[in-house]
Amino acid sequence: MKKIFSLFSLLVLLIIDFAAFAQTQRFPRPEFESGYTQPVTSMPEPRAGIFALVDVLLLIAALSLITWFIHKKRSRTGVVITSLFSIVYFGFLREGCVCSVGSVQNVVLALFNPGYHIPLSALAFFVIPLVYTLFFGRTFCAGVCPLGAVQDVFLLRPISLKKWLQKVLGLIPWIYLGLAILYAATGTDFIICRYDPFVGIFRFNATFFMFAIGAAFLLISVFIARPYCRFLCPYGVILNLVSRVSKNHLSITPASCIQCKLCENSCPLDAINKPVEVKQMEDKRSATRRFILLGMIIPALMIIGGWVVSNFHENLAMVNSKVRLANELLHFNSNTMKESLEIEGFRTSGKTKEELYLESAAILKQFYYGSWMLGAFIGLVFGLSLAGLTRYRYREDYEADKGECVSCARCLKYCPVESN
Amino acid sequence: MKKDRREFINTCFRFAAGASIVGVAGVLASKSAKGDFFWQLDPTKCTQCGRCATSCVVTPSAVKCIHVYDMCGYCDLCGGYFRPNVKNLSTGAENMLCPTGAIKRTYVEDPYFKYEIIDELCIGCGKCVKGCGAFGNGSLQLQISHDLCVNCNECAIARDCPSDAFKRVPLEEAYQFAGFKTNKKI
Ligand code: SF4
Ligand code: SF4
Ligand code: SF4
Ligand code: SF4
Ligand code: SF4
């Protein structure tokens, strides 16, 4: 009996095997007699890499040009002209991809994922603006970045925001940067690309939702200078940091400041620092006390931040498609629910549920550690901006804030001093 | 005095920033010399859900049906060309599976027919791919047509694909077919 059974199962196996074979070759390729020649299977080559090279060369050219306009010619018109070029070329023609803002994610993915290496053009778009910023301030933001440029040309009726509101909103880019790094490092998603408000407009193919957001940003840009740059852009905060230590940042006056106050309100970004008189400086004792206090507050903020965010690591991980699928499968009941496309895809992939659950558990773990780091990072940023608020800095002249200033060159014409 | 010190600290930070930019760039660039990555659609994973037609950032989609002629049986009753249960095997639009009429059927010799995809019309919906896979040899397969694809930083279809069929690959692997190994180098 047993023998018969095993023989039978062998037969069944054979038939199944045969069926599987026949599946791929149900209808064997015919032998043609009429001398038919078969067309070649089309495999068109990718667009030539020359485009990427042109992009990088134009980026360098535009950066050099705008830097020359700002530093040597001190000309706002020049900045506007370069902005228009960037909007047309980097925006509409190259469809806003790849841009420096998004390249942050390629860099992070390449650093964390050994199997991926960053395209040289994306690397160039990440590094070149940083190098220019290190030498000349954020001239990239002034009019080469298509996102910044498109907001800037819409700025017609600038109003200034309350200082505290600017400070609070100014924390968002840091959180956004942290999230973008978390999602890129785990190979989950490129959120900066996904939620780029202007790329849909550059491509004329935005979904209604994204178009509405992009249009809203442009509408706000009419009154509030560069809302995306100041309160969202994750690359902007990196440029901000680099620009603070830049070698030759733009100076409002061509020679030396005479404290005439004419430029005081000329900056639409409120990036002009007023002089701080000596008598406002604090004495040594209170400075030490402040220092010690901050030394305790910042680590505390980091730990609290890490703890709070790590509590949400499962929610953060839900963006990951594998985790989402595992979760869906866990709650899937074939009797009452209709199979989603995702579950159908999983079923045909031949992967077992256990494999998927293991993978998703590994990703969850990455998110757990990642969210601790994200939280600590946010805590650190909060702490340091608190420290920045309490710090007095002696300053004689009206100066552009090297971090916040985007070198738009609007303030330059307000200065009555002649260059010598 | 105060100003000098500040200037000095600034210079230190500037060199630190410069060094880290150069360092990161150097590390990444040494790896990048191997060439760029391209998006690739793995037809062994694809379930022809139809999202390839709608999610791509270029319109019509950069994903096209590609005919692997070496696998084709040149059937009269093509599962990719005809709707299931057609009454007569003619080229009438009511018989066609393809919503845009992108498949051209030509008679070769009895009883064989050749099926060609007209790239300009194909929207990458995968209906024919599903039909050919179900009733035929599976010689119709979806692939990214790299002359049309703009190689987005993050492929918009990859995000939406329910079967996790998209990945970044080096140029040599930019085309991959299920059940057929191509020896053409691109
Ligand atoms: S802040 Fe960001 S979006 Fe604005 S100009 Fe600079 S890089 Fe572009
Ligand atoms: S150049 Fe800088 S400081 Fe002057 S107006 Fe523009 S952003 Fe403000
Ligand atoms: S989205 Fe994925 S499953 Fe759907 S047709 Fe495209 S490759 Fe196939
Ligand atoms: S059925 Fe869809 S995938 Fe096939 S040729 Fe027509 S449009 Fe292209
Ligand atoms: S990379 Fe972009 S253009 Fe290419 S298939 Fe994906 S979405 Fe379409």
Side-chain angles (χ1 to χ4, degrees):
Chain A
M1 186 65 209
K2 218 173 185 183
K3 213 169 188 176
I4 293 176
F5 179 74
S6 59
L7 256 180
F8 178 74
S9 50
L10 195 69
L11 202 70
V12 168
L13 263 179
L14 267 176
I15 291 172
I16 290 175
D17 249 353
F18 179 73
F21 177 72
Q23 184 95 21
T24 54
Q25 277 305 325
R26 266 185 208 136
F27 309 101
R29 203 177 105 72
E31 301 290 333
F32 293 106
E33 284 150 18
S34 58
Y36 159 80
T37 44
Q38 173 179 290
V40 278
T41 296
S42 87
M43 286 190 273
E45 278 174 48
R47 298 176 168 195
I50 190 91
F51 273 117
L53 189 65
V54 171
D55 286 351
V56 173
L57 290 179
L58 277 174
L59 172 74
I60 296 176
L63 266 170
S64 307
L65 186 71
I66 203 166
T67 308
W68 180 74
F69 274 135
I70 296 167
H71 283 253
K72 279 271 162 341
K73 303 297 279 183
R74 304 176 60 78
S75 145
R76 169 75 194 152
T77 325
V79 173
V80 175
I81 292 170
T82 327
S83 304
L84 292 177
F85 164 79
S86 302
I87 295 172
V88 171
Y89 184 78
F90 293 114
F92 287 106
L93 285 176
R94 300 299 293 130
E95 307 191 319
C97 193
V98 62
C99 75
S100 301
V101 183
S103 71
V104 177
Q105 304 161 115
N106 298 65
V107 169
V108 173
L109 183 64
L111 286 175
F112 280 85
N113 185 340
Y116 171 76
H117 55 251
I118 183 171
L120 276 176
S121 57
L123 184 60
F125 268 79
F126 177 74
V127 169
I128 293 171
L130 286 179
V131 173
Y132 269 80
T133 303
L134 193 58
F135 283 97
F136 306 111
R138 294 167 68 175
T139 53
F140 172 74
C141 291
V144 181
C145 172
L147 310 182
V150 77
Q151 296 169 78
D152 205 271
V153 295
F154 269 84
L155 178 62
L156 300 171
R157 299 252 173 288
I159 54 168
S160 100
L161 292 178
K162 291 266 180 312
K163 202 87 201 157
W164 65 266
L165 189 62
Q166 285 186 43
K167 284 274 179 236
V168 173
L169 291 177
L171 291 172
I172 302 173
W174 294 99
I175 302 173
Y176 195 18
L177 176 68
L179 280 171
I181 292 178
L182 178 67
Y183 284 129
T186 53
T188 298
D189 198 355
F190 277 11
I191 54 170
I192 302 177
C193 297
R194 181 184 283 222
Y195 298 111
D196 184 330
F198 304 116
V199 80
I201 294 178
F202 287 145
R203 286 181 174 154
F204 302 110
N205 74 344
T207 58
F208 177 73
F209 179 66
M210 281 319 285
F211 180 79
I213 292 185
F217 265 106
L218 289 183
L219 203 66
I220 296 173
S221 304
V222 175
F223 304 104
I224 297 170
R226 298 183 176 235
Y228 183 80
C229 293
R230 292 199 285 168
F231 309 131
L232 273 169
C233 178
Y235 190 58
V237 291
I238 304 178
L239 289 172
N240 179 319
L241 285 185
V242 173
S243 181
R244 285 182 201 188
V245 296
S246 59
K247 191 156 168 52
N248 298 307
H249 192 275
L250 142 157
S251 93
I252 303 173
T253 168
S256 55
C257 179
I258 52 170
Q259 279 100 34
C260 66
K261 298 188 182 190
L262 285 177
C263 66
E264 197 175 48
N265 296 318
S266 65
C267 178
L269 281 77
D270 295 311
I272 295 178
N273 289 326
K274 300 189 177 81
V276 178
E277 284 167 40
V278 191
K279 60 174 180 287
Q280 269 187 17
M281 301 260 297
E282 57 181 342
D283 60 289
K284 258 227 159 68
R285 267 222 5 244
S286 84
T288 330
R289 215 177 37 233
R290 190 173 57 92
F291 195 74
I292 295 173
L293 198 65
L294 281 171
M296 292 190 302
I297 288 181
I298 291 180
L301 277 176
M302 288 173 72
I303 292 171
I304 296 172
W307 181 77
V308 170
V309 178
S310 69
N311 272 321
F312 290 99
H313 78 277
E314 283 176 4
N315 306 54
L316 289 171
M318 277 315 240
V319 175
N320 188 294
S321 58
K322 283 211 179 95
V323 176
R324 213 170 40 222
L325 175 62
N327 196 50
E328 208 179 322
L329 268 177
L330 211 57
H331 299 115
F332 181 67
N333 177 346
S334 53
N335 300 326
T336 54
M337 286 186 236
K338 207 173 152 308
E339 208 174 55
S340 71
L341 286 171
E342 277 76 8
I343 292 187
E344 190 190 329
F346 171 74
R347 206 167 32 74
T348 45
S349 73
K351 215 196 272 181
T352 63
K353 274 190 186 181
E354 284 63 39
E355 275 173 316
L356 180 75
Y357 289 154
L358 276 179
E359 270 177 53
S360 126
I363 296 171
L364 268 181
K365 197 163 204 165
Q366 287 175 354
F367 268 91
Y368 179 70
Y369 294 124
S371 57
W372 260 103
M373 280 186 251
L374 173 67
F377 174 72
I378 295 174
L380 180 69
V381 170
F382 275 43
L384 286 180
S385 29
L386 213 64
L389 285 182
T390 58
R391 192 182 49 169
Y392 298 94
R393 202 163 190 198
Y394 171 62
R395 194 183 299 106
E396 277 174 346
D397 303 333
Y398 282 87
E399 281 169 4
D401 184 294
K402 284 169 100 180
E404 301 291 329
C405 166
V406 294
S407 300
C408 69
R410 279 194 180 81
C411 56
L412 300 184
K413 62 174 183 288
Y414 288 85
C415 187
V417 178
E418 296 281 324
S419 72
N420 41 21
Chain B
M1 160 57 203
K2 188 120 197 163
K3 221 166 183 146
D4 279 355
R5 201 177 70 192
R6 201 187 285 171
E7 199 42 55
F8 175 72
I9 295 175
N10 236 337
T11 313
C12 290
F13 273 118
R14 178 154 60 243
F15 274 97
S20 31
I21 294 172
V22 170
V24 170
V27 169
L28 295 180
S30 63
K31 267 170 69 182
S32 302
K34 281 182 257 166
D36 284 359
F37 272 85
F38 297 87
W39 287 99
Q40 202 276 327
L41 187 170
D42 184 348
T44 59
K45 288 185 172 174
C46 169
T47 46
Q48 295 91 39
C49 69
R51 287 189 195 162
C52 269
T54 49
S55 293
C56 183
V57 300
V58 299
T59 346
S61 174
V63 170
K64 301 281 173 213
C65 170
I66 290 188
H67 197 176
V68 187
Y69 292 99
D70 291 273
M71 291 174 68
C72 182
Y74 293 84
C75 328
D76 188 2
L77 173 59
C78 169
Y81 185 79
F82 292 112
R83 289 188 190 191
N85 311 322
V86 278
K87 300 230 165 51
N88 62 333
L89 302 185
S90 75
T91 54
E94 71 282 2
N95 294 335
M96 289 194 217
L97 187 58
C98 177
T100 60
I103 308 181
K104 193 168 122 212
R105 167 177 153 109
T106 28
Y107 173 75
V108 182
E109 63 179 58
D110 209 40
Y112 301 126
F113 287 84
K114 174 172 78 170
Y115 298 92
E116 285 168 295
I117 310 292
I118 308 163
D119 276 354
E120 291 71 36
L121 295 180
C122 174
I123 53 166
C125 70
K127 290 207 168 78
C128 61
V129 179
K130 201 164 202 133
C132 180
F135 305 112
N137 286 354
S139 61
L140 295 174
Q141 305 193 2
L142 287 181
Q143 280 291 293
I144 297 172
S145 228
H146 285 281
D147 56 335
L148 304 171
C149 172
V150 295
N151 205 17
C152 307
N153 207 14
E154 159 122 286
C155 173
I157 315 175
R159 256 178 225 155
D160 292 351
C161 174
S163 310
D164 196 20
F166 282 76
K167 56 181 184 292
R168 295 183 173 92
V169 297
L171 181 61
E172 308 84 77
E173 299 160 30
Y175 290 94
Q176 182 203 330
F177 299 105
F180 177 71
K181 201 135 181 68
T182 160
N183 44 19
K184 186 190 161 217
K185 277 266 169 290
I186 58 162

PDB file of all heavy atoms in Angstrom, chain B residues 63-65 80 97-103 117-118 121-129 140 142, ligand 4:
ATOM      1  N   VAL B  63       7.011  52.720 -18.971  1.00  0.00           N
ATOM      2  CA  VAL B  63       6.944  51.260 -18.972  1.00  0.00           C
ATOM      3  C   VAL B  63       6.159  50.824 -20.195  1.00  0.00           C
ATOM      4  O   VAL B  63       5.079  51.347 -20.475  1.00  0.00           O
ATOM      5  CB  VAL B  63       6.280  50.739 -17.684  1.00  0.00           C
ATOM      6  CG1 VAL B  63       5.997  49.258 -17.797  1.00  0.00           C
ATOM      7  CG2 VAL B  63       7.154  51.028 -16.494  1.00  0.00           C
ATOM      8  N   LYS B  64       6.743  49.915 -20.947  1.00  0.00           N
ATOM      9  CA  LYS B  64       6.096  49.433 -22.164  1.00  0.00           C
ATOM     10  C   LYS B  64       6.077  47.924 -22.133  1.00  0.00           C
ATOM     11  O   LYS B  64       6.880  47.286 -21.461  1.00  0.00           O
ATOM     12  CB  LYS B  64       6.892  49.870 -23.407  1.00  0.00           C
ATOM     13  CG  LYS B  64       7.059  51.342 -23.565  1.00  0.00           C
ATOM     14  CD  LYS B  64       5.810  51.979 -24.118  1.00  0.00           C
ATOM     15  CE  LYS B  64       5.953  53.497 -24.111  1.00  0.00           C
ATOM     16  NZ  LYS B  64       4.701  54.179 -23.875  1.00  0.00           N
ATOM     17  N   CYS B  65       5.144  47.390 -22.937  1.00  0.00           N
ATOM     18  CA  CYS B  65       5.182  45.966 -23.160  1.00  0.00           C
ATOM     19  C   CYS B  65       6.283  45.707 -24.190  1.00  0.00           C
ATOM     20  O   CYS B  65       6.354  46.368 -25.215  1.00  0.00           O
ATOM     21  CB  CYS B  65       3.839  45.514 -23.689  1.00  0.00           C
ATOM     22  SG  CYS B  65       3.884  43.835 -24.245  1.00  0.00           S
ATOM     23  N   GLY B  80      -2.619  37.323 -25.638  1.00  0.00           N
ATOM     24  CA  GLY B  80      -2.312  38.719 -25.356  1.00  0.00           C
ATOM     25  C   GLY B  80      -3.034  39.647 -26.307  1.00  0.00           C
ATOM     26  O   GLY B  80      -3.292  40.805 -25.986  1.00  0.00           O
ATOM     27  N   LEU B  97      -7.654  42.922 -26.866  1.00  0.00           N
ATOM     28  CA  LEU B  97      -7.498  43.069 -25.427  1.00  0.00           C
ATOM     29  C   LEU B  97      -6.883  44.434 -25.116  1.00  0.00           C
ATOM     30  O   LEU B  97      -7.225  45.086 -24.133  1.00  0.00           O
ATOM     31  CB  LEU B  97      -6.586  41.945 -24.931  1.00  0.00           C
ATOM     32  CG  LEU B  97      -6.406  41.782 -23.439  1.00  0.00           C
ATOM     33  CD1 LEU B  97      -7.750  41.562 -22.764  1.00  0.00           C
ATOM     34  CD2 LEU B  97      -5.513  40.570 -23.176  1.00  0.00           C
ATOM     35  N   CYS B  98      -5.973  44.856 -25.981  1.00  0.00           N
ATOM     36  CA  CYS B  98      -5.254  46.105 -25.713  1.00  0.00           C
ATOM     37  C   CYS B  98      -6.196  47.302 -25.823  1.00  0.00           C
ATOM     38  O   CYS B  98      -6.857  47.479 -26.843  1.00  0.00           O
ATOM     39  CB  CYS B  98      -4.102  46.263 -26.692  1.00  0.00           C
ATOM     40  SG  CYS B  98      -3.234  47.819 -26.472  1.00  0.00           S
ATOM     41  N   PRO B  99      -6.270  48.136 -24.797  1.00  0.00           N
ATOM     42  CA  PRO B  99      -7.194  49.267 -24.825  1.00  0.00           C
ATOM     43  C   PRO B  99      -6.822  50.326 -25.852  1.00  0.00           C
ATOM     44  O   PRO B  99      -7.667  51.143 -26.227  1.00  0.00           O
ATOM     45  CB  PRO B  99      -7.107  49.833 -23.402  1.00  0.00           C
ATOM     46  CG  PRO B  99      -5.784  49.387 -22.889  1.00  0.00           C
ATOM     47  CD  PRO B  99      -5.512  48.062 -23.542  1.00  0.00           C
ATOM     48  N   THR B 100      -5.571  50.332 -26.294  1.00  0.00           N
ATOM     49  CA  THR B 100      -5.167  51.381 -27.228  1.00  0.00           C
ATOM     50  C   THR B 100      -4.853  50.825 -28.611  1.00  0.00           C
ATOM     51  O   THR B 100      -4.384  51.553 -29.477  1.00  0.00           O
ATOM     52  CB  THR B 100      -3.913  52.117 -26.706  1.00  0.00           C
ATOM     53  OG1 THR B 100      -2.858  51.164 -26.582  1.00  0.00           O
ATOM     54  CG2 THR B 100      -4.160  52.757 -25.371  1.00  0.00           C
ATOM     55  N   GLY B 101      -5.077  49.558 -28.814  1.00  0.00           N
ATOM     56  CA  GLY B 101      -4.786  48.958 -30.118  1.00  0.00           C
ATOM     57  C   GLY B 101      -3.321  49.000 -30.470  1.00  0.00           C
ATOM     58  O   GLY B 101      -2.938  49.231 -31.616  1.00  0.00           O
ATOM     59  N   ALA B 102      -2.466  48.790 -29.451  1.00  0.00           N
ATOM     60  CA  ALA B 102      -1.037  48.952 -29.662  1.00  0.00           C
ATOM     61  C   ALA B 102      -0.364  47.685 -30.184  1.00  0.00           C
ATOM     62  O   ALA B 102       0.839  47.677 -30.399  1.00  0.00           O
ATOM     63  CB  ALA B 102      -0.365  49.392 -28.360  1.00  0.00           C
ATOM     64  N   ILE B 103      -1.133  46.624 -30.372  1.00  0.00           N
ATOM     65  CA  ILE B 103      -0.509  45.389 -30.868  1.00  0.00           C
ATOM     66  C   ILE B 103      -0.883  45.192 -32.331  1.00  0.00           C
ATOM     67  O   ILE B 103      -2.060  45.260 -32.696  1.00  0.00           O
ATOM     68  CB  ILE B 103      -0.952  44.171 -30.039  1.00  0.00           C
ATOM     69  CG1 ILE B 103      -0.733  44.458 -28.549  1.00  0.00           C
ATOM     70  CG2 ILE B 103      -0.177  42.932 -30.456  1.00  0.00           C
ATOM     71  CD1 ILE B 103      -1.105  43.316 -27.649  1.00  0.00           C
ATOM     72  N   ILE B 117       4.528  45.190 -30.913  1.00  0.00           N
ATOM     73  CA  ILE B 117       4.011  46.270 -30.059  1.00  0.00           C
ATOM     74  C   ILE B 117       4.377  47.604 -30.703  1.00  0.00           C
ATOM     75  O   ILE B 117       5.535  47.824 -31.057  1.00  0.00           O
ATOM     76  CB  ILE B 117       4.638  46.221 -28.653  1.00  0.00           C
ATOM     77  CG1 ILE B 117       4.547  44.817 -28.057  1.00  0.00           C
ATOM     78  CG2 ILE B 117       3.998  47.254 -27.740  1.00  0.00           C
ATOM     79  CD1 ILE B 117       3.173  44.365 -27.722  1.00  0.00           C
ATOM     80  N   ILE B 118       3.390  48.444 -30.863  1.00  0.00           N
ATOM     81  CA  ILE B 118       3.676  49.802 -31.343  1.00  0.00           C
ATOM     82  C   ILE B 118       3.928  50.663 -30.109  1.00  0.00           C
ATOM     83  O   ILE B 118       3.001  51.033 -29.389  1.00  0.00           O
ATOM     84  CB  ILE B 118       2.498  50.360 -32.160  1.00  0.00           C
ATOM     85  CG1 ILE B 118       2.117  49.355 -33.243  1.00  0.00           C
ATOM     86  CG2 ILE B 118       2.852  51.703 -32.768  1.00  0.00           C
ATOM     87  CD1 ILE B 118       0.745  49.590 -33.824  1.00  0.00           C
ATOM     88  N   LEU B 121       1.910  53.717 -28.983  1.00  0.00           N
ATOM     89  CA  LEU B 121       0.538  53.562 -28.508  1.00  0.00           C
ATOM     90  C   LEU B 121       0.467  52.868 -27.147  1.00  0.00           C
ATOM     91  O   LEU B 121      -0.480  53.071 -26.388  1.00  0.00           O
ATOM     92  CB  LEU B 121      -0.286  52.762 -29.528  1.00  0.00           C
ATOM     93  CG  LEU B 121      -0.499  53.436 -30.886  1.00  0.00           C
ATOM     94  CD1 LEU B 121      -1.320  52.538 -31.788  1.00  0.00           C
ATOM     95  CD2 LEU B 121      -1.198  54.769 -30.707  1.00  0.00           C
ATOM     96  N   CYS B 122       1.444  52.034 -26.866  1.00  0.00           N
ATOM     97  CA  CYS B 122       1.384  51.240 -25.634  1.00  0.00           C
ATOM     98  C   CYS B 122       1.453  52.156 -24.419  1.00  0.00           C
ATOM     99  O   CYS B 122       2.283  53.054 -24.346  1.00  0.00           O
ATOM    100  CB  CYS B 122       2.539  50.244 -25.592  1.00  0.00           C
ATOM    101  SG  CYS B 122       2.645  49.352 -24.040  1.00  0.00           S
ATOM    102  N   ILE B 123       0.556  51.918 -23.460  1.00  0.00           N
ATOM    103  CA  ILE B 123       0.568  52.717 -22.243  1.00  0.00           C
ATOM    104  C   ILE B 123       1.083  51.908 -21.053  1.00  0.00           C
ATOM    105  O   ILE B 123       1.073  52.381 -19.920  1.00  0.00           O
ATOM    106  CB  ILE B 123      -0.834  53.274 -21.929  1.00  0.00           C
ATOM    107  CG1 ILE B 123      -1.856  52.135 -21.902  1.00  0.00           C
ATOM    108  CG2 ILE B 123      -1.243  54.340 -22.931  1.00  0.00           C
ATOM    109  CD1 ILE B 123      -3.179  52.514 -21.281  1.00  0.00           C
ATOM    110  N   GLY B 124       1.494  50.689 -21.304  1.00  0.00           N
ATOM    111  CA  GLY B 124       2.078  49.876 -20.230  1.00  0.00           C
ATOM    112  C   GLY B 124       1.077  49.353 -19.226  1.00  0.00           C
ATOM    113  O   GLY B 124       1.428  49.133 -18.070  1.00  0.00           O
ATOM    114  N   CYS B 125      -0.160  49.136 -19.680  1.00  0.00           N
ATOM    115  CA  CYS B 125      -1.187  48.726 -18.730  1.00  0.00           C
ATOM    116  C   CYS B 125      -1.034  47.270 -18.319  1.00  0.00           C
ATOM    117  O   CYS B 125      -1.570  46.844 -17.300  1.00  0.00           O
ATOM    118  CB  CYS B 125      -2.580  48.946 -19.307  1.00  0.00           C
ATOM    119  SG  CYS B 125      -2.947  47.817 -20.650  1.00  0.00           S
ATOM    120  N   GLY B 126      -0.338  46.463 -19.146  1.00  0.00           N
ATOM    121  CA  GLY B 126      -0.069  45.087 -18.762  1.00  0.00           C
ATOM    122  C   GLY B 126      -1.205  44.105 -19.030  1.00  0.00           C
ATOM    123  O   GLY B 126      -1.101  42.937 -18.663  1.00  0.00           O
ATOM    124  N   LYS B 127      -2.282  44.570 -19.676  1.00  0.00           N
ATOM    125  CA  LYS B 127      -3.408  43.657 -19.924  1.00  0.00           C
ATOM    126  C   LYS B 127      -2.968  42.497 -20.819  1.00  0.00           C
ATOM    127  O   LYS B 127      -3.281  41.342 -20.562  1.00  0.00           O
ATOM    128  CB  LYS B 127      -4.554  44.415 -20.600  1.00  0.00           C
ATOM    129  CG  LYS B 127      -5.250  45.402 -19.693  1.00  0.00           C
ATOM    130  CD  LYS B 127      -6.698  45.597 -20.167  1.00  0.00           C
ATOM    131  CE  LYS B 127      -7.519  46.333 -19.138  1.00  0.00           C
ATOM    132  NZ  LYS B 127      -7.261  47.789 -19.152  1.00  0.00           N
ATOM    133  N   CYS B 128      -2.212  42.848 -21.895  1.00  0.00           N
ATOM    134  CA  CYS B 128      -1.764  41.809 -22.816  1.00  0.00           C
ATOM    135  C   CYS B 128      -0.771  40.881 -22.135  1.00  0.00           C
ATOM    136  O   CYS B 128      -0.739  39.686 -22.403  1.00  0.00           O
ATOM    137  CB  CYS B 128      -1.126  42.453 -24.046  1.00  0.00           C
ATOM    138  SG  CYS B 128       0.320  43.447 -23.647  1.00  0.00           S
ATOM    139  N   VAL B 129       0.040  41.459 -21.239  1.00  0.00           N
ATOM    140  CA  VAL B 129       1.032  40.658 -20.538  1.00  0.00           C
ATOM    141  C   VAL B 129       0.336  39.603 -19.694  1.00  0.00           C
ATOM    142  O   VAL B 129       0.723  38.434 -19.665  1.00  0.00           O
ATOM    143  CB  VAL B 129       1.911  41.571 -19.662  1.00  0.00           C
ATOM    144  CG1 VAL B 129       2.935  40.758 -18.906  1.00  0.00           C
ATOM    145  CG2 VAL B 129       2.587  42.631 -20.511  1.00  0.00           C
ATOM    146  N   LEU B 140       5.131  38.233 -23.853  1.00  0.00           N
ATOM    147  CA  LEU B 140       4.920  39.674 -23.686  1.00  0.00           C
ATOM    148  C   LEU B 140       5.267  40.022 -22.244  1.00  0.00           C
ATOM    149  O   LEU B 140       4.734  39.415 -21.317  1.00  0.00           O
ATOM    150  CB  LEU B 140       3.467  40.038 -23.976  1.00  0.00           C
ATOM    151  CG  LEU B 140       2.975  39.834 -25.405  1.00  0.00           C
ATOM    152  CD1 LEU B 140       1.480  40.091 -25.489  1.00  0.00           C
ATOM    153  CD2 LEU B 140       3.716  40.754 -26.354  1.00  0.00           C
ATOM    154  N   LEU B 142       6.392  43.298 -19.377  1.00  0.00           N
ATOM    155  CA  LEU B 142       6.543  44.732 -19.115  1.00  0.00           C
ATOM    156  C   LEU B 142       7.999  45.040 -18.768  1.00  0.00           C
ATOM    157  O   LEU B 142       8.634  44.306 -18.019  1.00  0.00           O
ATOM    158  CB  LEU B 142       5.641  45.168 -17.955  1.00  0.00           C
ATOM    159  CG  LEU B 142       4.150  45.257 -18.237  1.00  0.00           C
ATOM    160  CD1 LEU B 142       3.407  45.719 -16.987  1.00  0.00           C
ATOM    161  CD2 LEU B 142       3.872  46.208 -19.383  1.00  0.00           C
TER     162      LEU B 142
HETATM  163  S1  SF4 C   4      -2.395  45.869 -23.535  1.00  0.00           S
HETATM  164 FE1  SF4 C   4      -1.422  47.514 -22.350  1.00  0.00          FE
HETATM  165  S2  SF4 C   4       0.694  46.821 -22.078  1.00  0.00           S
HETATM  166 FE2  SF4 C   4      -0.182  45.570 -23.727  1.00  0.00          FE
HETATM  167  S3  SF4 C   4       0.371  46.649 -25.623  1.00  0.00           S
HETATM  168 FE3  SF4 C   4      -1.654  47.383 -25.009  1.00  0.00          FE
HETATM  169  S4  SF4 C   4      -1.230  49.221 -23.785  1.00  0.00           S
HETATM  170 FE4  SF4 C   4       0.676  48.067 -23.923  1.00  0.00          FE
END
